Amino acid sequence: MSKKCDQKKWRYLCLVFGDQLNQDSALWQNFDVQQDCVWMAEVRHESIDVVSSMQRTWLFFSAMRHFAEDCIQLGRSVLYHSIQEKHASFESALDEDLKTYSFRGIKAVLPGDWRVHQAISKFCETRQLPLEWMEDRHFISLPGEFSTWIKNKKQPRMEYWYRFLRKRTGWLMDSEGRPIGGKWNYDQANRQSFSKQGPVDLQTPIDLPMDAVTRQVRQDLAEHLPGLAAETETLVWPVTSEQAKAVFQDFIRHRLKSFGDYQDAMWIGEPWLFHSRLSTALNLKLLNPREVIESAIEVYDQGEVALNSIEGFVRQILGWREYVRGLYWRYRDQWSEMNALQADRNLPDFYWTGKTRMRCMKESIGQVLEYGYGHHIQRLMVTGLFSLLYGVRPSEVEAWYLAMYVDAVSWVEVPNTLGMSQFADGGIVGSKPYIASGAYIDRMSNYCQGCVYHPKQAETEQACPFTTFYWHFVDRHFERLQGHPRLGMQAVNWRNKPEQQQAAIRKRAEWLFENIQKV
C-alpha cells in the first residue's frame, strides 16, 4: 500500500473511516492540500474484537486502499496505516502519529458507529486535541430534520417519514403534490412468488475482476488476520466508485424491471435474483443515493419499468435507509440494552457453519458464508425469523449480522436487527414482531421442496422447526399478543387449539430447544 505524507507539520489531520469513501464529503470542502493530511487506518480491533468476516473485511480494506490511491491522485497527502503494521485500534495508530507528526487538530465526518465516535472523542479529549465532527452530507435527510420530524409523534413509522421526504424532494410526485399513481406505496404488488419454473429472464450479474490492490489485501488478511469467519477466495463486491456505477447500470438494464414483483421471493441456488447488489456501495459511500434515485426515476419516466418496481426501489433507499439512520442516532446509547422479549438463548452454531438440515436456513446462511449477502426477506423472514422464534439473545444476533453481512454498518444494521427483525426495541421500528410459520417460507420460495421437515406440521418429528417455534412463540408471549390489532388472531388461533395438540407442540419445542444442533 503506497502512502504519501512527506511533511511533519500539518494544520488538520482529516480522518476517513471505511464507510466514508465519497469525494463529495464535507471533509473536502475546505481541505488544503498544502496544509492538511488524510488519515486512514486498518486496525485489528475492527475485525477481531468487533467480529468481521473475511468477505466484509476484505471489502472494506480493498475499498479503503483504492480510495486512498484516489486521494493521492488528487494531490492530497495521505497517511495510511495498513493491517501489516498490526495496530490494535484507531487510537493506537493515532498515538503513534502523535510521536512523529504535529497538527493543529483533527477533523472527521460523523462515523456510522456511535462506538467509534465515542472512542475518537475520548482520545482527543484525553490528549487535548481539538476535534471537529462534521455533518455527513451523504444522506438525503437534512441535519436535524429527522429529530424535528419525530417530535411528539406517537407512532413515528417509516411510512410517514417516507412520505415526508417524498413531498420535500418531489420524487415520484405529480404537479399537484400527490404521489404518482395515487398511492404512496405498492408493497402489496411486490410480494409475488415464482411459479414452479422459477425465475425467468434472469441475467447473471456483471463480473468484477480483482486488481492487484484487492489481491494484495487478501494476502495481507491471510498473514495478519488469520482465522476470520467465512474464509473465501472470491470478492464479488465493487471496491471503487467506477465499479459501483457499473453494478448500478447492470441492475437498471437487467433487473429493475422485475425487481418490484419479486423483491420478496427466494429460490434455491439464486442469491441475487432481481436485487440490485447496491447496498455495499451505498453504505461505503461509493455511490450517491440522490444520483441513484434520480437515475432510476429517469428510467421510469422513459416508460421502461412499472411503477411498483420503481416505487419499491426508491422506498428502500429514501424510506428505510433514511429512517433507520434517524432512529439509530436517536437511540444511539440505548440499543445495546434493548431486549423487550427477554430472549436469552445462545445463537446456534449453524449460523456460523451453515450445517443444518433446514433447507431454508442452509440456503440463506450458505449465501452469507460465501458472499456476505442475503436480501431483505432472507434476513427478516428466514435467518432473523428463526432467531426471533427460537429466542436468541439480541446482542448475539446483532453481532452475527454485523460480522457476516458485507453491507453492515452499525447505523443501518442495529435498528434493522434489534428493531425490525428481533423486536428487541419493543416496537420503535415496527408495530409488531415479524413472526410467521414455515408456511410463509413455503409460499415465497422453493426451499421447502426436498426438505426433511414439513412446513404445515408443528408437533411431529417431521415438523418444520419454524412452525413449531412459531406456535411456541405465540404461547409464551400470549399476553402481549392477544390484544394486538395485527397479531391478536394468532393468539386466538393458539387458544382454540385442543389442549392435547398444545401439549404436543410444547413437547416438540422443548426437544428442539435441547437438541438444536441436531436440527
Side-chain angles (χ1 to χ4, degrees):
M1 173 64 207
S2 62
K3 58 183 178 181
K4 177 186 176 185
C5 195
D6 300 327
Q7 297 178 208
K8 296 299 182 182
K9 292 185 178 181
W10 300 99
R11 183 178 64 164
Y12 293 114
L13 202 61
C14 298
L15 311 190
V16 175
F17 301 109
D19 64 331
Q20 298 180 341
L21 310 181
N22 52 324
Q23 295 293 358
D24 57 355
S25 167
L27 195 64
W28 314 121
Q29 182 173 346
N30 295 309
F31 188 93
D32 187 330
V33 295
Q34 301 299 322
Q35 301 186 77
D36 302 327
C37 183
V38 179
W39 185 92
M40 302 177 73
E42 304 165 3
V43 297
R44 294 178 59 83
H45 178 75
E46 299 301 315
S47 291
I48 301 297
D49 301 321
V50 180
V51 179
S52 179
S53 71
M54 169 68 76
Q55 188 91 195
R56 182 175 182 271
T57 304
W58 191 1
L59 167 64
F60 271 72
F61 286 6
S62 296
M64 288 168 63
R65 293 188 190 186
H66 281 94
F67 187 79
E69 295 288 359
D70 288 344
C71 287
I72 292 171
Q73 292 299 316
L74 290 169
R76 299 170 188 155
S77 293
V78 176
L79 180 55
Y80 195 103
H81 295 284
S82 76
I83 198 63
Q84 298 170 357
E85 299 174 44
K86 299 182 179 180
H87 282 293
S89 64
F90 293 133
E91 299 95 297
S92 68
L94 284 168
D95 250 339
E96 179 181 285
D97 293 331
L98 284 174
K99 301 172 184 177
T100 306
Y101 304 94
S102 64
F103 38 89
R104 188 185 306 172
I106 288 178
K107 285 187 176 184
V109 170
L110 185 70
D113 191 324
W114 174 242
R115 171 186 55 81
V116 174
H117 177 278
Q118 292 296 89
I120 299 299
S121 296
K122 183 178 180 180
F123 174 88
C124 291
E125 181 181 359
T126 301
R127 288 152 184 81
Q128 297 183 327
L129 277 172
L131 169 63
E132 179 184 354
W133 286 116
M134 309 177 77
E135 293 290 346
D136 192 339
R137 296 179 178 177
H138 168 82
F139 294 90
I140 295 161
S141 52
L142 305 174
E145 191 170 30
F146 185 86
S147 297
T148 301
W149 172 83
I150 202 173
K151 283 182 180 178
N152 303 318
K153 282 188 169 52
K154 294 182 179 179
Q155 290 189 321
R157 300 298 176 218
M158 184 281 292
E159 176 66 24
Y160 302 109
W161 173 239
Y162 171 55
R163 295 181 185 184
F164 173 85
L165 290 179
R166 285 265 300 271
K167 291 176 183 178
R168 179 168 68 72
T169 61
W171 287 329
L172 297 179
M173 303 293 289
D174 65 21
S175 59
E176 302 296 324
R178 296 170 300 198
I180 289 176
K183 295 181 180 180
W184 286 102
N185 79 64
Y186 292 84
D187 197 35
Q188 292 295 329
N190 293 348
R191 298 174 180 174
Q192 296 186 42
S193 56
F194 299 119
S195 68
K196 293 182 179 180
Q197 288 70 41
V200 296
D201 297 328
L202 198 57
Q203 299 285 329
T204 302
I206 187 174
D207 183 45
L208 299 173
M210 293 185 287
D211 63 9
V213 173
T214 301
R215 290 193 295 271
Q216 182 60 53
V217 171
R218 181 63 183 86
Q219 293 179 28
D220 290 346
L221 294 180
E223 182 177 354
H224 301 287
L225 286 177
L228 293 179
E231 189 161 332
T232 179
E233 297 297 330
T234 304
L235 186 69
V236 299
W237 303 101
V239 295
T240 67
S241 60
E242 291 76 16
Q243 286 187 341
K245 290 173 183 176
V247 170
F248 175 51
Q249 290 303 317
D250 182 65
F251 168 66
I252 290 289
R253 287 193 299 269
H254 299 303
R255 284 178 290 285
L256 177 57
K257 180 172 61 176
S258 298
F259 168 76
D261 291 347
Y262 301 113
Q263 64 175 288
D264 286 5
M266 300 170 283
W267 200 258
I268 291 173
E270 296 290 353
W272 316 118
L273 293 171
F274 297 104
H275 290 266
S276 69
R277 295 203 306 163
L278 295 177
S279 57
T280 58
L282 285 167
N283 292 354
L284 270 62
K285 302 187 177 68
L286 299 174
L287 282 179
N288 184 303
R290 295 174 185 82
E291 295 175 2
V292 168
I293 290 174
E294 289 173 353
S295 295
I297 291 176
E298 184 177 347
V299 174
Y300 165 75
D301 290 340
Q302 294 169 355
E304 298 179 23
V305 298
L307 181 56
N308 70 305
S309 277
I310 189 63
E311 188 280 321
F313 179 68
V314 169
R315 178 154 35 95
Q316 287 195 352
I317 300 175
L318 182 63
W320 268 114
R321 194 165 184 270
E322 296 286 328
Y323 179 67
V324 297
R325 179 175 181 263
L327 288 180
Y328 175 77
W329 286 106
R330 181 173 178 83
Y331 298 99
R332 58 187 177 273
D333 54 353
Q334 301 173 42
W335 289 108
S336 62
E337 304 301 321
M338 292 180 179
N339 190 359
L341 299 179
Q342 299 301 303
D344 61 358
R345 297 186 183 277
N346 296 326
L347 189 75
D349 289 345
F350 55 69
Y351 273 80
W352 299 98
T353 66
K355 296 178 180 179
T356 172
R357 297 196 298 163
M358 291 180 285
R359 186 65 180 271
C360 60
M361 289 290 280
K362 186 180 182 67
E363 285 287 326
S364 298
I365 293 173
Q367 286 183 199
V368 178
L369 295 175
E370 186 171 2
Y371 302 115
Y373 170 81
H375 71 64
H376 64 283
I377 293 301
Q378 291 170 318
R379 302 188 201 202
L380 178 64
M381 302 305 294
V382 182
T383 55
L385 174 61
F386 188 87
S387 59
L388 172 65
L389 298 178
Y390 181 66
V392 177
R393 195 174 294 108
S395 60
E396 292 195 27
V397 185
E398 189 267 324
W400 182 76
Y401 275 95
L402 184 62
M404 299 303 291
Y405 286 86
V406 289
D407 55 9
V409 182
S410 286
W411 67 264
V412 66
E413 185 272 331
V414 169
N416 268 307
T417 301
L418 297 184
M420 186 71 171
S421 175
Q422 301 303 295
F423 202 70
D425 63 353
I428 294 173
V429 176
S431 61
K432 68 180 183 69
Y434 274 82
I435 58 172
S437 68
Y440 172 84
I441 296 172
D442 190 27
R443 184 168 67 253
M444 297 307 300
S445 73
N446 66 340
Y447 288 165
C448 298
Q449 296 178 19
C451 183
V452 298
Y453 301 111
H454 297 285
K456 294 183 179 179
Q457 296 182 20
E459 61 265 39
T460 69
E461 290 186 4
Q462 291 75 40
C464 173
F466 279 84
T467 304
T468 303
F469 285 144
Y470 167 79
W471 288 116
H472 194 274
F473 182 96
V474 174
D475 181 26
R476 68 182 186 268
H477 296 292
F478 185 85
E479 291 186 7
R480 176 186 288 271
L481 302 180
Q482 65 176 340
H484 196 283
R486 299 176 67 184
L487 295 177
M489 185 54 65
Q490 280 95 321
V492 171
N493 290 340
W494 169 256
R495 185 182 60 201
N496 291 339
K497 287 184 181 296
E499 290 185 8
Q500 184 177 2
Q501 186 180 15
Q502 290 182 348
I505 291 173
R506 291 188 184 110
K507 181 178 180 180
R508 179 60 182 170
E510 288 305 319
W511 185 91
L512 289 171
F513 285 134
E514 294 174 5
N515 297 275
I516 195 61
Q517 303 305 335
K518 298 178 182 180
V519 174

PDB file of all heavy atoms in Angstrom, residues 318-340:
ATOM      1  N   LEU A 318     -34.853   5.769  -0.014  1.00  0.00           N
ATOM      2  CA  LEU A 318     -35.379   7.008   0.569  1.00  0.00           C
ATOM      3  C   LEU A 318     -36.146   6.748   1.855  1.00  0.00           C
ATOM      4  O   LEU A 318     -36.119   7.560   2.781  1.00  0.00           O
ATOM      5  CB  LEU A 318     -36.283   7.705  -0.448  1.00  0.00           C
ATOM      6  CG  LEU A 318     -36.886   9.051  -0.027  1.00  0.00           C
ATOM      7  CD1 LEU A 318     -35.792  10.078   0.207  1.00  0.00           C
ATOM      8  CD2 LEU A 318     -37.871   9.544  -1.086  1.00  0.00           C
ATOM      9  N   GLY A 319     -36.821   5.598   1.920  1.00  0.00           N
ATOM     10  CA  GLY A 319     -37.615   5.280   3.095  1.00  0.00           C
ATOM     11  C   GLY A 319     -36.815   4.612   4.184  1.00  0.00           C
ATOM     12  O   GLY A 319     -36.362   5.247   5.135  1.00  0.00           O
ATOM     13  N   TRP A 320     -36.573   3.302   4.025  1.00  0.00           N
ATOM     14  CA  TRP A 320     -35.932   2.545   5.095  1.00  0.00           C
ATOM     15  C   TRP A 320     -34.542   3.050   5.440  1.00  0.00           C
ATOM     16  O   TRP A 320     -34.187   3.180   6.615  1.00  0.00           O
ATOM     17  CB  TRP A 320     -35.865   1.060   4.729  1.00  0.00           C
ATOM     18  CG  TRP A 320     -37.052   0.301   5.222  1.00  0.00           C
ATOM     19  CD1 TRP A 320     -38.013  -0.303   4.486  1.00  0.00           C
ATOM     20  CD2 TRP A 320     -37.421   0.102   6.595  1.00  0.00           C
ATOM     21  NE1 TRP A 320     -38.957  -0.855   5.300  1.00  0.00           N
ATOM     22  CE2 TRP A 320     -38.622  -0.630   6.601  1.00  0.00           C
ATOM     23  CE3 TRP A 320     -36.861   0.480   7.812  1.00  0.00           C
ATOM     24  CZ2 TRP A 320     -39.271  -1.007   7.778  1.00  0.00           C
ATOM     25  CZ3 TRP A 320     -37.503   0.110   8.989  1.00  0.00           C
ATOM     26  CH2 TRP A 320     -38.690  -0.620   8.963  1.00  0.00           C
ATOM     27  N   ARG A 321     -33.744   3.317   4.434  1.00  0.00           N
ATOM     28  CA  ARG A 321     -32.354   3.680   4.690  1.00  0.00           C
ATOM     29  C   ARG A 321     -32.262   4.968   5.519  1.00  0.00           C
ATOM     30  O   ARG A 321     -31.479   5.058   6.473  1.00  0.00           O
ATOM     31  CB  ARG A 321     -31.609   3.834   3.363  1.00  0.00           C
ATOM     32  CG  ARG A 321     -30.104   3.871   3.477  1.00  0.00           C
ATOM     33  CD  ARG A 321     -29.463   3.664   2.103  1.00  0.00           C
ATOM     34  NE  ARG A 321     -28.021   3.604   2.235  1.00  0.00           N
ATOM     35  CZ  ARG A 321     -27.229   4.663   2.170  1.00  0.00           C
ATOM     36  NH1 ARG A 321     -27.745   5.854   1.953  1.00  0.00           N
ATOM     37  NH2 ARG A 321     -25.925   4.526   2.302  1.00  0.00           N
ATOM     38  N   GLU A 322     -33.041   5.967   5.148  1.00  0.00           N
ATOM     39  CA  GLU A 322     -33.025   7.229   5.879  1.00  0.00           C
ATOM     40  C   GLU A 322     -33.682   7.083   7.251  1.00  0.00           C
ATOM     41  O   GLU A 322     -33.262   7.711   8.223  1.00  0.00           O
ATOM     42  CB  GLU A 322     -33.743   8.302   5.057  1.00  0.00           C
ATOM     43  CG  GLU A 322     -33.072   8.642   3.738  1.00  0.00           C
ATOM     44  CD  GLU A 322     -31.813   9.477   3.907  1.00  0.00           C
ATOM     45  OE1 GLU A 322     -31.751  10.274   4.855  1.00  0.00           O
ATOM     46  OE2 GLU A 322     -30.884   9.326   3.081  1.00  0.00           O
ATOM     47  N   TYR A 323     -34.697   6.250   7.315  1.00  0.00           N
ATOM     48  CA  TYR A 323     -35.443   6.066   8.562  1.00  0.00           C
ATOM     49  C   TYR A 323     -34.603   5.400   9.637  1.00  0.00           C
ATOM     50  O   TYR A 323     -34.527   5.877  10.779  1.00  0.00           O
ATOM     51  CB  TYR A 323     -36.690   5.239   8.253  1.00  0.00           C
ATOM     52  CG  TYR A 323     -37.566   4.928   9.429  1.00  0.00           C
ATOM     53  CD1 TYR A 323     -38.275   5.928  10.094  1.00  0.00           C
ATOM     54  CD2 TYR A 323     -37.727   3.610   9.865  1.00  0.00           C
ATOM     55  CE1 TYR A 323     -39.110   5.622  11.164  1.00  0.00           C
ATOM     56  CE2 TYR A 323     -38.564   3.298  10.931  1.00  0.00           C
ATOM     57  CZ  TYR A 323     -39.247   4.307  11.574  1.00  0.00           C
ATOM     58  OH  TYR A 323     -40.086   3.998  12.626  1.00  0.00           O
ATOM     59  N   VAL A 324     -33.950   4.281   9.283  1.00  0.00           N
ATOM     60  CA  VAL A 324     -33.191   3.569  10.304  1.00  0.00           C
ATOM     61  C   VAL A 324     -31.980   4.374  10.764  1.00  0.00           C
ATOM     62  O   VAL A 324     -31.568   4.276  11.930  1.00  0.00           O
ATOM     63  CB  VAL A 324     -32.758   2.158   9.841  1.00  0.00           C
ATOM     64  CG1 VAL A 324     -33.968   1.285   9.584  1.00  0.00           C
ATOM     65  CG2 VAL A 324     -31.869   2.212   8.622  1.00  0.00           C
ATOM     66  N   ARG A 325     -31.429   5.184   9.875  1.00  0.00           N
ATOM     67  CA  ARG A 325     -30.317   6.030  10.310  1.00  0.00           C
ATOM     68  C   ARG A 325     -30.795   7.040  11.360  1.00  0.00           C
ATOM     69  O   ARG A 325     -30.118   7.281  12.372  1.00  0.00           O
ATOM     70  CB  ARG A 325     -29.687   6.764   9.134  1.00  0.00           C
ATOM     71  CG  ARG A 325     -28.529   7.686   9.573  1.00  0.00           C
ATOM     72  CD  ARG A 325     -27.825   8.316   8.391  1.00  0.00           C
ATOM     73  NE  ARG A 325     -26.734   9.158   8.834  1.00  0.00           N
ATOM     74  CZ  ARG A 325     -26.827  10.484   8.991  1.00  0.00           C
ATOM     75  NH1 ARG A 325     -27.963  11.108   8.720  1.00  0.00           N
ATOM     76  NH2 ARG A 325     -25.779  11.183   9.393  1.00  0.00           N
ATOM     77  N   GLY A 326     -31.958   7.638  11.112  1.00  0.00           N
ATOM     78  CA  GLY A 326     -32.501   8.576  12.087  1.00  0.00           C
ATOM     79  C   GLY A 326     -32.744   7.922  13.431  1.00  0.00           C
ATOM     80  O   GLY A 326     -32.411   8.483  14.488  1.00  0.00           O
ATOM     81  N   LEU A 327     -33.312   6.721  13.411  1.00  0.00           N
ATOM     82  CA  LEU A 327     -33.584   6.010  14.658  1.00  0.00           C
ATOM     83  C   LEU A 327     -32.300   5.581  15.354  1.00  0.00           C
ATOM     84  O   LEU A 327     -32.220   5.606  16.591  1.00  0.00           O
ATOM     85  CB  LEU A 327     -34.448   4.785  14.376  1.00  0.00           C
ATOM     86  CG  LEU A 327     -35.905   5.044  14.008  1.00  0.00           C
ATOM     87  CD1 LEU A 327     -36.617   3.730  13.749  1.00  0.00           C
ATOM     88  CD2 LEU A 327     -36.623   5.824  15.100  1.00  0.00           C
ATOM     89  N   TYR A 328     -31.300   5.178  14.574  1.00  0.00           N
ATOM     90  CA  TYR A 328     -30.043   4.756  15.195  1.00  0.00           C
ATOM     91  C   TYR A 328     -29.462   5.877  16.048  1.00  0.00           C
ATOM     92  O   TYR A 328     -29.082   5.662  17.198  1.00  0.00           O
ATOM     93  CB  TYR A 328     -29.026   4.341  14.132  1.00  0.00           C
ATOM     94  CG  TYR A 328     -27.668   4.000  14.723  1.00  0.00           C
ATOM     95  CD1 TYR A 328     -27.461   2.794  15.363  1.00  0.00           C
ATOM     96  CD2 TYR A 328     -26.600   4.912  14.658  1.00  0.00           C
ATOM     97  CE1 TYR A 328     -26.229   2.477  15.920  1.00  0.00           C
ATOM     98  CE2 TYR A 328     -25.362   4.600  15.213  1.00  0.00           C
ATOM     99  CZ  TYR A 328     -25.182   3.389  15.844  1.00  0.00           C
ATOM    100  OH  TYR A 328     -23.967   3.083  16.405  1.00  0.00           O
ATOM    101  N   TRP A 329     -29.388   7.063  15.512  1.00  0.00           N
ATOM    102  CA  TRP A 329     -28.779   8.158  16.252  1.00  0.00           C
ATOM    103  C   TRP A 329     -29.684   8.680  17.359  1.00  0.00           C
ATOM    104  O   TRP A 329     -29.199   9.141  18.396  1.00  0.00           O
ATOM    105  CB  TRP A 329     -28.374   9.276  15.293  1.00  0.00           C
ATOM    106  CG  TRP A 329     -27.168   8.888  14.503  1.00  0.00           C
ATOM    107  CD1 TRP A 329     -27.117   8.524  13.194  1.00  0.00           C
ATOM    108  CD2 TRP A 329     -25.825   8.759  15.001  1.00  0.00           C
ATOM    109  NE1 TRP A 329     -25.839   8.173  12.837  1.00  0.00           N
ATOM    110  CE2 TRP A 329     -25.023   8.309  13.917  1.00  0.00           C
ATOM    111  CE3 TRP A 329     -25.233   8.977  16.247  1.00  0.00           C
ATOM    112  CZ2 TRP A 329     -23.656   8.085  14.060  1.00  0.00           C
ATOM    113  CZ3 TRP A 329     -23.872   8.746  16.374  1.00  0.00           C
ATOM    114  CH2 TRP A 329     -23.099   8.309  15.293  1.00  0.00           C
ATOM    115  N   ARG A 330     -30.969   8.559  17.198  1.00  0.00           N
ATOM    116  CA  ARG A 330     -31.876   8.994  18.271  1.00  0.00           C
ATOM    117  C   ARG A 330     -31.725   8.113  19.508  1.00  0.00           C
ATOM    118  O   ARG A 330     -31.787   8.585  20.643  1.00  0.00           O
ATOM    119  CB  ARG A 330     -33.323   8.970  17.782  1.00  0.00           C
ATOM    120  CG  ARG A 330     -34.340   9.448  18.837  1.00  0.00           C
ATOM    121  CD  ARG A 330     -35.729   9.562  18.250  1.00  0.00           C
ATOM    122  NE  ARG A 330     -36.709   9.971  19.238  1.00  0.00           N
ATOM    123  CZ  ARG A 330     -36.945  11.216  19.618  1.00  0.00           C
ATOM    124  NH1 ARG A 330     -36.250  12.194  19.057  1.00  0.00           N
ATOM    125  NH2 ARG A 330     -37.858  11.506  20.527  1.00  0.00           N
ATOM    126  N   TYR A 331     -31.537   6.822  19.300  1.00  0.00           N
ATOM    127  CA  TYR A 331     -31.420   5.878  20.418  1.00  0.00           C
ATOM    128  C   TYR A 331     -30.004   5.309  20.513  1.00  0.00           C
ATOM    129  O   TYR A 331     -29.814   4.184  21.011  1.00  0.00           O
ATOM    130  CB  TYR A 331     -32.432   4.741  20.227  1.00  0.00           C
ATOM    131  CG  TYR A 331     -33.867   5.196  20.231  1.00  0.00           C
ATOM    132  CD1 TYR A 331     -34.556   5.386  19.028  1.00  0.00           C
ATOM    133  CD2 TYR A 331     -34.547   5.460  21.419  1.00  0.00           C
ATOM    134  CE1 TYR A 331     -35.877   5.815  19.017  1.00  0.00           C
ATOM    135  CE2 TYR A 331     -35.864   5.890  21.416  1.00  0.00           C
ATOM    136  CZ  TYR A 331     -36.522   6.073  20.206  1.00  0.00           C
ATOM    137  OH  TYR A 331     -37.839   6.504  20.210  1.00  0.00           O
ATOM    138  N   ARG A 332     -29.028   6.075  20.093  1.00  0.00           N
ATOM    139  CA  ARG A 332     -27.654   5.576  19.942  1.00  0.00           C
ATOM    140  C   ARG A 332     -27.070   4.959  21.198  1.00  0.00           C
ATOM    141  O   ARG A 332     -26.309   3.997  21.123  1.00  0.00           O
ATOM    142  CB  ARG A 332     -26.753   6.715  19.472  1.00  0.00           C
ATOM    143  CG  ARG A 332     -26.729   7.935  20.384  1.00  0.00           C
ATOM    144  CD  ARG A 332     -25.948   9.080  19.761  1.00  0.00           C
ATOM    145  NE  ARG A 332     -25.968  10.288  20.571  1.00  0.00           N
ATOM    146  CZ  ARG A 332     -26.907  11.212  20.496  1.00  0.00           C
ATOM    147  NH1 ARG A 332     -27.918  11.064  19.644  1.00  0.00           N
ATOM    148  NH2 ARG A 332     -26.863  12.297  21.251  1.00  0.00           N
ATOM    149  N   ASP A 333     -27.419   5.474  22.371  1.00  0.00           N
ATOM    150  CA  ASP A 333     -26.839   4.943  23.600  1.00  0.00           C
ATOM    151  C   ASP A 333     -27.773   3.973  24.317  1.00  0.00           C
ATOM    152  O   ASP A 333     -27.526   3.588  25.454  1.00  0.00           O
ATOM    153  CB  ASP A 333     -26.453   6.084  24.542  1.00  0.00           C
ATOM    154  CG  ASP A 333     -27.605   7.031  24.817  1.00  0.00           C
ATOM    155  OD1 ASP A 333     -28.678   6.882  24.183  1.00  0.00           O
ATOM    156  OD2 ASP A 333     -27.454   7.935  25.661  1.00  0.00           O
ATOM    157  N   GLN A 334     -28.851   3.556  23.646  1.00  0.00           N
ATOM    158  CA  GLN A 334     -29.831   2.665  24.268  1.00  0.00           C
ATOM    159  C   GLN A 334     -29.933   1.299  23.590  1.00  0.00           C
ATOM    160  O   GLN A 334     -30.389   0.332  24.196  1.00  0.00           O
ATOM    161  CB  GLN A 334     -31.218   3.323  24.264  1.00  0.00           C
ATOM    162  CG  GLN A 334     -31.275   4.657  24.991  1.00  0.00           C
ATOM    163  CD  GLN A 334     -32.621   5.350  24.827  1.00  0.00           C
ATOM    164  OE1 GLN A 334     -33.670   4.711  24.890  1.00  0.00           O
ATOM    165  NE2 GLN A 334     -32.611   6.658  24.602  1.00  0.00           N
ATOM    166  N   TRP A 335     -29.524   1.201  22.335  1.00  0.00           N
ATOM    167  CA  TRP A 335     -29.726  -0.033  21.582  1.00  0.00           C
ATOM    168  C   TRP A 335     -29.138  -1.257  22.274  1.00  0.00           C
ATOM    169  O   TRP A 335     -29.753  -2.340  22.289  1.00  0.00           O
ATOM    170  CB  TRP A 335     -29.121   0.090  20.181  1.00  0.00           C
ATOM    171  CG  TRP A 335     -29.862   1.015  19.264  1.00  0.00           C
ATOM    172  CD1 TRP A 335     -29.456   2.245  18.833  1.00  0.00           C
ATOM    173  CD2 TRP A 335     -31.146   0.795  18.657  1.00  0.00           C
ATOM    174  NE1 TRP A 335     -30.395   2.816  18.002  1.00  0.00           N
ATOM    175  CE2 TRP A 335     -31.443   1.939  17.876  1.00  0.00           C
ATOM    176  CE3 TRP A 335     -32.068  -0.251  18.689  1.00  0.00           C
ATOM    177  CZ2 TRP A 335     -32.629   2.053  17.143  1.00  0.00           C
ATOM    178  CZ3 TRP A 335     -33.237  -0.147  17.969  1.00  0.00           C
ATOM    179  CH2 TRP A 335     -33.513   1.000  17.202  1.00  0.00           C
ATOM    180  N   SER A 336     -27.959  -1.129  22.825  1.00  0.00           N
ATOM    181  CA  SER A 336     -27.260  -2.297  23.384  1.00  0.00           C
ATOM    182  C   SER A 336     -27.992  -2.910  24.571  1.00  0.00           C
ATOM    183  O   SER A 336     -27.754  -4.075  24.918  1.00  0.00           O
ATOM    184  CB  SER A 336     -25.835  -1.920  23.802  1.00  0.00           C
ATOM    185  OG  SER A 336     -25.854  -0.939  24.826  1.00  0.00           O
ATOM    186  N   GLU A 337     -28.878  -2.148  25.200  1.00  0.00           N
ATOM    187  CA  GLU A 337     -29.595  -2.656  26.378  1.00  0.00           C
ATOM    188  C   GLU A 337     -30.977  -3.201  26.034  1.00  0.00           C
ATOM    189  O   GLU A 337     -31.677  -3.711  26.916  1.00  0.00           O
ATOM    190  CB  GLU A 337     -29.744  -1.524  27.417  1.00  0.00           C
ATOM    191  CG  GLU A 337     -28.430  -0.878  27.844  1.00  0.00           C
ATOM    192  CD  GLU A 337     -27.477  -1.894  28.464  1.00  0.00           C
ATOM    193  OE1 GLU A 337     -27.960  -2.772  29.204  1.00  0.00           O
ATOM    194  OE2 GLU A 337     -26.269  -1.811  28.205  1.00  0.00           O
ATOM    195  N   MET A 338     -31.391  -3.123  24.793  1.00  0.00           N
ATOM    196  CA  MET A 338     -32.764  -3.489  24.432  1.00  0.00           C
ATOM    197  C   MET A 338     -32.947  -5.001  24.352  1.00  0.00           C
ATOM    198  O   MET A 338     -32.180  -5.698  23.700  1.00  0.00           O
ATOM    199  CB  MET A 338     -33.135  -2.853  23.093  1.00  0.00           C
ATOM    200  CG  MET A 338     -33.257  -1.343  23.151  1.00  0.00           C
ATOM    201  SD  MET A 338     -33.704  -0.657  21.529  1.00  0.00           S
ATOM    202  CE  MET A 338     -33.790   1.105  21.948  1.00  0.00           C
ATOM    203  N   ASN A 339     -33.996  -5.481  25.008  1.00  0.00           N
ATOM    204  CA  ASN A 339     -34.362  -6.899  24.971  1.00  0.00           C
ATOM    205  C   ASN A 339     -35.804  -7.040  25.456  1.00  0.00           C
ATOM    206  O   ASN A 339     -36.077  -7.669  26.475  1.00  0.00           O
ATOM    207  CB  ASN A 339     -33.417  -7.731  25.826  1.00  0.00           C
ATOM    208  CG  ASN A 339     -33.604  -9.235  25.619  1.00  0.00           C
ATOM    209  OD1 ASN A 339     -34.454  -9.667  24.857  1.00  0.00           O
ATOM    210  ND2 ASN A 339     -32.815 -10.028  26.333  1.00  0.00           N
ATOM    211  N   ALA A 340     -36.725  -6.449  24.717  1.00  0.00           N
ATOM    212  CA  ALA A 340     -38.120  -6.364  25.144  1.00  0.00           C
ATOM    213  C   ALA A 340     -38.768  -7.725  25.355  1.00  0.00           C
ATOM    214  O   ALA A 340     -39.654  -7.878  26.201  1.00  0.00           O
ATOM    215  CB  ALA A 340     -38.925  -5.560  24.117  1.00  0.00           C
TER     216      ALA A 340
END
